[in-house]
Amino acid sequence: MSIFEDTLDHYASHNNLVDANIYYKLLFSVITLILNLFANSPIMPFIIFIISTILVLFKAKIPSRFYATFMLVPFSFAIISVIFMAFFIGIGPHIWDLGLFGWGITADGLNRGVLVFFKVMGGVAALSFLILTTPVNRLFAVFNELHLPTELVDLAILMYRYIFLFLDVTETMYYSQKTRLGYNGYSSWMNCLAALAGMVFIRTWEQGEMAYKALASRGYNGKLNMFYHGSTIHDITIKQWIILIVFEVLLAYSIYVTASINVVPYLIPV
């Protein structure tokens, strides 16, 4: 199996929502992400996470195993934040004393940590709905249509392209080393890894030079011209607008209503 058959780009191009209106998906993800940032209680970020996950798994039909792997990185950072904030950020008496250097968990720190955890997971899940259901080339074209800075969009395009070039070169060289009995022991593993890292850097540098020369020979003037052909914001139906507006208004109202609800009911005031 090719390395490209189990990547974000593969699933973004092969899912049940790939042909859905990109502007509708963009509006849903961005507005939900912004509202998630204003939450003062973990309840609504948790609900955002659940709703976004349901859409990704059951509507877009993204494999659950890949989605879990995709969410593992933000989950790990969020857990670290919970631990750090629970022990070192909160004020007030300890609700659990570690008995070492005066360390312990406070109600305030625990509430802050849990809030940050669910805001991270909710925000990433909302953004993942857009990322996992929309090919990146379409996103770049939409960003260009929205008149985002040209330099920023072009840089993102080149970076994304070279990620896959890097993967392709790495895969080829890795299997070449394996066929020559590389990675057999610890010493062999370290030597092969060092050689792989050095050669991949050189090959990607060479490919970058070749790509620039190819662009220059085709009249490249510092701007990548893109044309977007697909759904527009005018293609969003009245029904879809109503669903989106009702959902986001209810979400905003729920965030306001649940603002004072915390994990630990006897939260120590800041």
Side-chain angles (χ1 to χ4, degrees), residues 12-206:
S13 302
H14 299 82
N15 65 84
N16 286 4
L17 294 177
V18 65
D19 294 322
N21 191 299
I22 187 173
Y23 285 91
Y24 194 69
K25 292 187 289 187
L26 184 63
L27 286 170
F28 169 80
S29 296
V30 172
I31 296 174
T32 303
L33 177 62
I34 292 173
L35 291 178
N36 177 75
L37 296 175
F38 287 97
N40 290 320
S41 169
I43 293 178
M44 294 315 298
F46 174 70
I47 293 177
I48 291 172
F49 170 77
I50 294 298
I51 293 174
S52 300
T53 299
I54 290 174
L55 291 174
V56 168
L57 297 181
F58 300 104
K59 193 69 175 175
K61 301 295 184 180
I62 299 295
S64 57
R65 183 174 180 180
F66 175 79
Y67 182 69
T69 304
F70 178 82
M71 297 296 290
L72 183 61
V73 173
F75 176 82
S76 302
F77 280 103
I79 283 292
I80 294 173
S81 299
V82 171
I83 296 173
F84 180 81
M85 297 183 76
F87 277 98
F88 304 110
I89 299 299
I91 60 174
H94 291 168
I95 60 174
W96 183 71
D97 201 331
L98 187 62
L100 181 67
F101 303 118
W103 292 348
I105 297 177
T106 64
D108 180 46
L110 181 59
N111 278 304
R112 290 172 185 263
V114 171
L115 175 60
V116 168
F117 173 82
F118 282 108
K119 288 179 76 170
V120 168
M121 298 305 295
V124 172
L127 195 58
S128 70
F129 171 74
L130 175 66
I131 295 173
L132 294 175
T133 61
T134 310
V136 164
N137 61 320
R138 297 187 190 178
L139 281 176
F140 288 146
V142 169
F143 293 157
N144 191 57
E145 288 287 312
L146 295 175
H147 302 290
L148 266 66
T150 303
E151 294 78 9
L152 182 63
V153 177
D154 288 353
L155 182 61
I157 293 172
L158 293 174
M159 288 175 63
Y160 190 78
R161 186 263 184 272
Y162 278 101
I163 286 173
F164 289 93
L165 175 63
F166 172 82
L167 289 174
D168 190 35
V169 172
T170 302
E171 182 189 38
T172 301
M173 297 189 64
Y174 172 77
Y175 286 116
S176 177
Q177 290 177 322
K178 288 284 286 184
T179 59
R180 291 170 174 79
L181 303 180
Y183 302 96
N184 264 334
Y186 177 77
S187 178
S188 174
W189 190 89
M190 293 298 291
N191 289 333
C192 289
L193 183 62
L196 178 65
M199 288 305 299
V200 165
F201 176 80
I202 294 173
R203 290 290 178 85
T204 51
W205 184 280
E206 292 174 348

Side-chain angles (χ1 to χ4, degrees), residues 24 237-249:
Y24 194 69
T237 65
I238 298 297
K239 180 181 177 181
Q240 290 175 324
W241 276 116
I242 293 174
I243 293 173
L244 178 64
I245 292 172
V246 169
F247 173 79
E248 299 298 348
V249 169

